[in-house]
Amino acid sequence: MSKQAIMAWEDLALGTAILSPGNAKELRTGDWRSLKPKLDEEKCIKCSLCAMYCPEFCISVDAEGFYRPDFYYCKGCGVCANECPKDAITMGKEGE
Amino acid sequence: MGKRVGLEVSLAVAEAVKLANVDVVSAYPITPQTHIVEELSVYVASGELDAEFIPVESEHSAMSAALGAAAAGARVYTATASQGLALMHEILFIVSGMRMPMVMTVANRALSAPISIWNDHGDIMAERDIGWIQIFAENGQEALDLTLCAFKIAEDKRVLLPMIVNIDGFTLSHVIEPVIIPDHAEVDAFLPPYQPVLKLDTQNPVTFGPVGVPEVYTEARKQLEQAVIGAKPVVDEVLAGFGAAFDRQYKLVEQNGKIGAKTLFVTMGSLGETCMTAVDELMAEGQDAGQTRIRLWRPFPEEEFLAACAGAEKLVVIDRALSPGAVCGPVASELKSLFYGRPGAPEIINVIAGLGGRDVTVREFKEMFALAGSGKLSGNYMMWGVESHAS
Ligand code: SF4
Ligand code: SF4
């Protein structure tokens, strides 16, 4: 099999349909990240706008009421940082 | 049994669609297909056909709605021609890629510009690579019969592909012919209700048409290619089954005239019948003439075609479509690829004829035969009957 293929053609479902609903949740979009959002808790007013704008829907509220990304899915797009009304999110280089 | 009636071929096709108990007809009228869908809308309005008729606003929508209906598990029919087929173009690939069975009649018509409502194969030749099964009818009875067979072929679990039945615009679509309309019970016995393998169902959710990343797209296309190639024996089997049930035999490739003749005409569609008359006359005059008629165009019946041309030294291939700037016409191109490198391959002479409703007569076929015999039809192809100051 070609190293570039993920499966043999015989194993594809009819018409390349997806038979397990919701399997997009297995797609690790966090792999794409080169920038990582960082939250300044001092500035954050817990308004949740970042969570509403996040195109991956990966920001959820934690026990203290702060909105935090799930880094399995956060692709580092920076939409949250752009939309935050308090500039509480900064985008730093991944791995720094 | 059935009943023999004089019927316009478009209406015979509509009869076939009604007999096939379709669930959904989604179509936009375009000359010369209009009478088919007009008749079907009358059947639906009168309650004679218990189906949903979707009167869409364009052919793009016609094919999109047909795709949706097929995804929901319905038996679907549509029909179009020329510009309408071209407008469906992008959806045609989606239907086959998603493996949605459906049947479409294409009443073959030339493409604009200049505007032509008349017959040639330019419309379907632009859609060679859509991954649909494609077959050509030669006469009215065949148009009706192949429409019935098309549902059975498309829905076969080994196939699950959409299928086009080509009928030449006007030459077939608008001609009144004696046609045998089978009894409903006979058709029901031949064509069981459609049982989709996958369909949109809230109890069993599936996703149709997802993104195919580079790691999977090639394999997805391989699956389609294998399905199209694998359809050939099923087409053969269904046509044979039809022959047994209705006593009308159809093969993937037909032969006419002298078997083993040195010079064979190759035709596809209704021009084949005119050519048959020419071949019969040539034989009566003692000429070594025969004819091979291609019925199944996709998948191309390679073995059957080779067998039908065994012993031939010259093939006079008639193309009813021009591929400007190409080496030759689409049918000749296919055949040159097929014969390339084969020992004893015949010379392939390509005549582009019958564009935009230009008649090709028995006399002209005989002229072609004479010119081919004297070696005067040479070059990659010849556009037949072009008026020019140069000639
Ligand atoms: S960087 Fe993009 S993906 Fe990551 S949390 Fe912010 S909005 Fe969501
Ligand atoms: S948008 Fe800014 S202020 Fe609002 S919850 Fe998100 S980080 Fe905090």
Side-chain angles (χ1 to χ4, degrees):
Chain A
M1 192 199 293
S2 157
K3 285 203 176 60
Q4 291 192 48
I6 49 175
M7 64 201 297
W9 72 265
E10 293 91 340
D11 298 330
L12 282 174
L14 182 72
T16 328
I18 292 175
L19 306 183
S20 41
N23 74 352
K25 71 175 186 291
E26 290 160 28
L27 187 64
R28 186 184 201 126
T29 44
D31 270 358
W32 307 353
R33 200 172 56 239
S34 63
L35 295 174
K36 193 172 186 178
K38 189 177 176 327
L39 180 68
D40 182 342
E41 284 90 353
E42 297 295 309
K43 291 185 181 169
C44 175
I45 57 166
K46 302 179 176 174
C47 69
S48 84
L49 273 177
C50 52
M52 287 183 219
Y53 276 106
C54 171
E56 287 298 325
F57 308 107
C58 74
I59 302 178
S60 54
V61 67
D62 71 4
E64 298 164 70
F66 286 113
Y67 287 82
R68 310 235 183 236
D70 179 338
F71 286 103
Y72 186 88
Y73 300 111
C74 168
K75 59 190 178 188
C77 65
V79 168
C80 52
N82 249 294
E83 296 298 337
C84 172
K86 293 291 166 190
D87 290 330
I89 303 174
T90 48
M91 299 302 289
K93 284 225 172 70
E94 177 69 25
E96 276 178 7
Chain B
M1 308 313 106
K3 61 175 189 294
R4 187 177 160 94
V5 292
L7 198 60
E8 185 188 308
V9 173
S10 287
L11 308 189
V13 171
E15 277 288 342
V17 175
K18 183 179 73 179
L19 287 168
N21 297 319
V22 294
D23 301 308
V24 174
V25 178
S26 163
Y28 190 81
I30 182 169
T31 302
Q33 149 272 31
T34 309
H35 291 180
I36 303 173
V37 291
E38 206 172 59
E39 185 75 354
L40 284 167
S41 74
V42 170
Y43 293 155
V44 172
S46 70
E48 219 180 313
L49 172 61
D50 180 18
E52 211 50 63
F53 188 97
I54 312 178
V56 285
E57 78 284 11
S58 77
E59 286 84 358
H60 191 278
S61 304
M63 192 39 66
S64 300
L67 169 61
R75 178 174 283 168
V76 184
Y77 174 80
T78 188
T80 193
S82 185
Q83 314 299 132
L85 184 63
L87 188 50
M88 287 179 175
H89 180 72
E90 64 160 329
I91 313 298
L92 299 174
F93 288 83
I94 301 175
V95 173
S96 59
M98 284 166 57
R99 305 288 302 278
M100 295 294 166
M102 68 173 65
V103 173
M104 171 157 72
T105 305
V106 177
N108 303 109
R109 163 184 155 183
L111 280 158
S112 183
I115 297 170
S116 168
I117 59 167
W118 296 275
N119 169 237
D120 74 25
H121 293 166
D123 55 1
I124 193 64
M125 287 305 153
E127 308 295 345
R128 267 185 315 176
D129 299 336
I130 53 176
W132 289 48
I133 303 168
Q134 303 182 23
I135 205 162
F136 280 79
E138 268 187 12
N139 58 46
Q141 186 68 57
E142 200 177 325
L144 183 153
D145 293 348
L146 293 182
T147 303
L148 288 174
C149 291
F151 286 102
K152 193 166 166 113
I153 294 162
E155 293 168 3
D156 190 289
K157 299 264 187 299
R158 297 162 291 174
V159 177
L160 297 169
L161 284 169
M163 180 157 174
I164 289 172
V165 179
N166 289 284
I167 64 167
D168 282 315
F170 293 109
T171 325
L172 280 187
S173 64
H174 286 56
V175 166
I176 295 173
E177 289 186 22
V179 172
I180 299 167
I181 299 174
D183 296 335
H184 216 310
E186 290 177 305
V187 175
D188 286 346
F190 172 72
L191 180 66
Y194 174 38
Q195 304 276 352
V197 172
L198 283 180
K199 62 173 183 175
L200 295 175
D201 173 4
T202 49
Q203 298 308 306
N204 278 302
V206 292
T207 301
F208 289 134
V211 172
V213 290
E215 292 82 355
V216 83
Y217 187 84
T218 303
E219 286 67 29
R221 298 308 286 176
K222 183 71 187 173
Q223 186 198 70
L224 175 63
E225 176 236 36
Q226 289 296 301
V228 174
I229 294 172
K232 192 180 84 171
V234 181
V235 177
D236 212 16
E237 181 187 303
V238 170
L239 294 181
F242 185 89
F246 297 92
D247 204 23
R248 289 190 290 280
Q249 321 295 331
Y250 299 106
K251 291 192 279 187
L252 310 187
V253 171
E254 303 276 0
Q255 284 170 278
N256 181 54
K258 189 182 158 198
I259 303 300
K262 295 280 177 274
T263 303
L264 297 178
F265 282 104
V266 179
T267 58
M268 200 157 74
S270 63
L271 213 46
E273 298 221 328
T274 315
C275 186
M276 264 189 243
T277 308
V279 167
D280 289 348
E281 289 185 13
L282 285 165
M283 284 174 62
E285 292 160 18
Q287 301 283 359
D288 194 13
Q291 182 186 2
T292 303
R293 289 138 54 203
I294 300 168
R295 183 169 283 117
L296 185 65
W297 170 237
R298 287 286 180 271
F300 191 80
E302 298 178 21
E303 293 80 6
E304 293 78 1
F305 187 85
L306 290 170
C309 295
E313 288 170 7
K314 268 182 196 166
L315 302 185
V316 182
V317 180
I318 313 296
D319 258 300
R320 284 199 101 161
L322 176 70
S323 180
V327 176
C328 55
V331 177
S333 192
E334 189 85 12
L335 300 181
K336 285 186 181 179
S337 303
L338 179 65
F339 280 107
Y340 182 77
R342 278 177 205 275
E347 180 192 356
I348 293 177
I349 295 164
N350 188 200
V351 179
I352 314 270
L355 300 186
R358 180 73 58 93
D359 273 341
V360 187
T361 61
V362 169
R363 185 177 51 76
E364 286 173 283
F365 277 113
K366 290 168 79 174
E367 278 175 38
M368 286 178 209
F369 184 85
L371 287 171
S374 62
K376 287 195 184 119
L377 281 183
S378 53
N380 289 334
Y381 64 88
M382 179 203 190
M383 275 182 84
W384 185 258
V386 185
E387 187 66 20
S388 164
H389 291 301
S391 56

